[in-house]
Amino acid sequence: MSIAAPMDTRTVVEELLHRIGEGDPERIAELYAERGDWKLAWPEAEHGRPATPWIRQRSTRADAAAHYRELAEHHVPEHVATEVERILIDGNDAVVLGEIRQTARPTGRAYRARFALHLTVEDGLVTRHHVYEDSLAVAQAFETEHQ
């Protein structure tokens, strides 16, 4: 009996992007290690950022599933699109470059945001998930008149 070798970096990244596109948080989270290095945060606001709760530090597979659930809850599903322009691979590291197009559910405002996603894959699982995005575009889409 042979044990299947872990998937290589490109295969894991492409499968992760496919699952993100399908939108099932539990299936997406299966590709993350039990513990990992997750960075998707803005500078700390004095009273937090209740309009964008998915934008925060994470460290576990369960956190990854929660991230994708919260992201879906705050956007209009019919108006979500992501264009992946490049996937760059260097050993266990990958960088995904592209643009997201979404509509904020609370305000109905559409936005576009450029992003770079730095992933590290070890033993067939994502151990690093660092997102660098146009946070101003996201923040403005969720701004209410009273902020």
Side-chain angles (χ1 to χ4, degrees):
M1 179 175 150
S2 67
I3 297 174
M7 292 187 283
D8 70 8
T9 301
R10 179 170 297 279
T11 303
V12 172
V13 169
E14 288 175 352
E15 179 63 18
L16 177 67
L17 295 173
H18 175 76
R19 290 183 187 193
I20 291 170
E22 288 178 335
D24 179 346
E26 301 308 320
R27 274 191 35 81
I28 297 166
E30 290 172 354
L31 290 175
Y32 288 87
E34 282 297 330
R35 298 214 49 88
D37 177 12
W38 184 291
K39 186 185 293 181
L40 173 61
W42 294 342
E44 287 301 314
E46 193 174 311
H47 301 290
R49 298 192 189 284
T52 56
W54 69 92
I55 299 175
R56 62 182 175 87
Q57 297 299 105
R58 313 275 181 161
S59 62
T60 67
R61 180 179 291 157
D63 286 343
H67 166 80
Y68 291 104
R69 277 193 300 276
E70 291 168 3
L71 185 63
E73 289 168 8
H74 288 81
H75 290 89
V76 178
E78 299 80 24
H79 300 150
V80 172
T82 300
E83 179 182 344
V84 173
E85 297 165 356
R86 298 264 187 286
I87 301 173
L88 309 170
I89 306 292
D90 182 13
N92 289 350
D93 290 298
V95 175
V96 180
L97 302 172
E99 181 181 71
I100 57 172
R101 292 181 295 279
Q102 307 218 56
T103 298
R105 188 183 301 266
T107 64
R109 285 194 203 105
Y111 68 93
R112 292 174 163 232
R114 309 268 322 139
F115 72 88
L117 171 60
H118 179 191
L119 301 166
T120 300
V121 175
E122 297 172 357
D123 298 322
L125 297 171
V126 175
T127 58
R128 176 185 313 175
H129 177 112
H130 289 191
V131 177
Y132 307 93
E133 69 179 353
D134 181 356
S135 55
L136 180 59
V138 179
Q140 287 175 335
F142 283 87
E143 272 182 0
T144 62
E145 300 288 326
H146 305 296
Q147 286 183 327

